[in-house]
């Protein structure tokens, strides 16, 4: 073996080839060697061709098997993807149904809350609240109510009053605690409200007290409507509304004289002004 042959062999060994390629290279090298050696026969050529043919057939079979496996995997993945897509569609349908149901339930809750507020307010239909009357020691609250009635030219007898008491006053709150008065008949409550509107300057001096401070008589509102009225006062100032009033437990606002009053049932009504 010459020096050039050794170098060629080293170069061949330094080149990486996969097993099939190495086998093909080896067979090709043998064929080349036989040709170079002048002893290649027809039988050698046929054997070599047959070996190449067999090798190609095996390679083709391996390729077919790999293709079939890949195709099978793709079909499995496609089926799994279709199944997952169907489940996602089903879940999305359920989500939409739940969203619609939730919206419906929220609307029902709003309606029920409004009905509850109306029922609670209806229970106060015969009730008034009086503010601005100082509280005396050992006070007879009913006698104080009678004095306010007398100042309005209204005679209040014991049998027309169902309940009465001072309203709880939070510590730090300015002014005297208010007085709750529940009449037996709604007409007596409305009569007192009317007389207070006629006598606009009702004050403590009209019930024989030395100071002169305003006395207010309002319809009694349930807590929800009381909060709504407070928000309406803020909105009235923000938007420059001229009128805000309560009638039969309902809250109304009017922009200016001559406009139609708008009933305020919820905070949404205030936002829509």
């Amino acid at each position: 073996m010459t020096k050039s042959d050794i170098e060629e062999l080293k170069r061949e060994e330094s080149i990486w080839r996969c097993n099939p390629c190495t086998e093909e290279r080896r067979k090709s090298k043998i064929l080349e060697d036989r040709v170079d050696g002048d002893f290649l026969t027809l039988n050698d050529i046929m054997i070599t061709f047959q070996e190449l043919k067999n090798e190609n057939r095996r390679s083709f079979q391996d390729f077919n098997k790999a293709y079939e496996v890949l195709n099978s995997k793709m079909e499995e993945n496609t089926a799994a993807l279709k199944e997952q897509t169907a489940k996602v569609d089903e879940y999305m349908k359920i989500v939409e149904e739940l969203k619609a149901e939730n919206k419906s339930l929220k609307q029902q809750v709003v309606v029920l809350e409004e009905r509850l507020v109306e029922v609670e307010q209806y229970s106060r239909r015969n009730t008034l609240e009086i503010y601005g009357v100082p509280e005396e020691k050992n006070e007879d609250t009913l006698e104080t109510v009678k004095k306010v009635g007398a100042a309005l030219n209204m005679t209040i007898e014991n049998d027309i009053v169902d309940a009465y008491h001072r309203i709880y006053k939070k510590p730090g709150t300015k002014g005297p605690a208010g007085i709750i008065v529940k009449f037996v008949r709604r007409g007596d409550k409305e009569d007192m409200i009317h007389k207070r509107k006629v006598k606009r300057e009702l004050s403590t001096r009209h019930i024989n007290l030395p100071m002169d401070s305003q006395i207010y008589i309002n319809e009694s509102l349930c807590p929800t409507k009381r909060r709504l009225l407070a928000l309406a006062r803020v909105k009235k100032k923000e938007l420059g509304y001229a009128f805000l009033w309560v009638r039969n437990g309902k809250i109304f606002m009017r922009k200016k004289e001559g406009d139609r009053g708008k009933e305020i049932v919820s905070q949404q009504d205030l936002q829509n002004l």
Side-chain angles (χ1 to χ4, degrees):
M1 183 179 291
T2 64
K3 184 177 180 181
S4 61
D5 293 335
I6 294 173
E7 291 178 352
E8 177 65 18
L9 180 60
K10 290 182 178 180
R11 187 180 66 83
E12 287 291 331
E13 290 178 350
S14 65
I15 300 175
W16 180 88
R17 294 185 177 87
C18 62
N19 290 336
C21 294
T22 302
E23 185 66 24
E24 290 298 322
R25 177 62 181 171
R26 186 180 299 114
K27 291 176 181 178
S28 177
K29 188 67 176 176
I30 292 172
L31 184 60
E32 291 174 359
D33 292 343
R34 288 179 178 177
V35 172
D36 292 340
D38 294 329
F39 60 85
L40 185 65
T41 66
L42 180 60
N43 186 52
D44 292 332
I45 295 174
M46 294 302 295
I47 291 172
T48 303
F49 282 161
Q50 185 62 39
E51 290 176 352
L52 292 174
K53 184 177 180 181
N54 292 338
E55 185 66 27
N56 288 337
R57 184 182 296 110
R58 285 194 296 271
S59 298
F60 184 73
Q61 290 174 349
D62 292 342
F63 173 79
N64 284 342
K65 289 180 181 179
Y67 177 80
E68 290 174 359
V69 171
L70 178 60
N71 187 58
S72 177
K73 292 293 183 182
M74 289 183 64
E75 290 178 353
E76 291 177 3
N77 291 339
T78 301
L81 181 60
K82 288 182 179 179
E83 183 180 355
Q84 293 297 325
T85 301
K87 287 183 178 180
V88 170
D89 291 341
E90 181 182 353
Y91 294 153
M92 289 302 298
K93 183 179 179 181
I94 293 174
V95 168
E96 291 301 323
E97 290 175 353
L98 289 175
K99 287 172 63 177
E101 182 180 358
N102 185 51
K103 183 178 179 181
S104 176
L105 289 174
K106 283 184 177 181
Q107 292 174 345
Q108 292 180 36
V109 168
V110 171
V111 171
L112 290 175
E113 287 178 344
E114 290 177 354
R115 289 181 180 177
L116 182 61
V117 169
E118 292 304 321
V119 169
E120 187 178 3
Q121 185 58 47
Y122 185 75
S123 68
R124 296 170 179 254
R125 65 192 182 281
N126 299 346
T127 307
L128 292 176
E129 296 178 7
I130 302 173
Y131 292 95
V133 180
E135 185 174 2
E136 299 177 355
K137 188 176 182 179
N138 300 321
E139 175 187 54
D140 183 341
T141 308
L142 180 57
E143 288 300 319
T144 302
V145 172
K146 289 180 178 181
K147 290 179 182 179
V148 174
L152 295 172
N153 297 321
M154 178 181 178
T155 301
I156 297 177
E157 301 292 347
N158 291 6
D159 59 354
I160 73 170
V161 177
D162 182 40
Y164 53 89
H165 60 82
R166 284 277 179 176
I167 301 173
Y168 170 73
K169 180 184 175 183
K170 293 181 180 180
T173 304
K174 295 181 179 180
I179 300 173
I180 283 281
V181 184
K182 184 177 181 181
F183 292 94
V184 175
R185 295 179 295 274
R186 185 176 179 179
D188 292 326
K189 166 243 182 178
E190 292 179 348
D191 187 31
M192 194 170 191
I193 286 284
H194 174 71
K195 290 180 180 297
R196 174 62 182 86
K197 290 179 179 179
V198 172
K199 192 167 187 175
R200 295 180 178 274
E201 300 301 325
L202 179 65
S203 72
T204 52
R205 62 186 174 85
H206 294 114
I207 57 174
N208 302 320
L209 292 178
M211 72 285 295
D212 186 12
S213 58
Q214 193 85 357
I215 295 177
Y216 302 94
I217 300 177
N218 303 320
E219 291 191 36
S220 180
L221 297 178
C222 65
T224 301
K225 293 222 170 188
R226 192 187 302 275
R227 289 191 293 268
L228 186 60
L229 180 61
L231 293 174
R233 288 196 181 101
V234 174
K235 203 69 174 180
K236 173 178 178 288
K237 185 176 181 181
E238 288 179 355
L239 301 180
Y241 271 64
F243 304 98
L244 171 64
W245 72 98
V246 177
R247 184 174 66 242
N248 295 327
K250 297 180 179 181
I251 303 171
F252 297 90
M253 292 181 68
R254 188 166 62 204
K255 183 74 172 180
K256 61 182 183 299
E257 192 70 45
D259 287 352
R260 184 176 180 179
K262 299 178 181 178
E263 183 180 359
I264 307 300
V265 178
S266 65
Q267 294 185 36
Q268 186 63 44
D269 293 331
L270 292 174
Q271 294 175 6
N272 294 338
L273 290 175

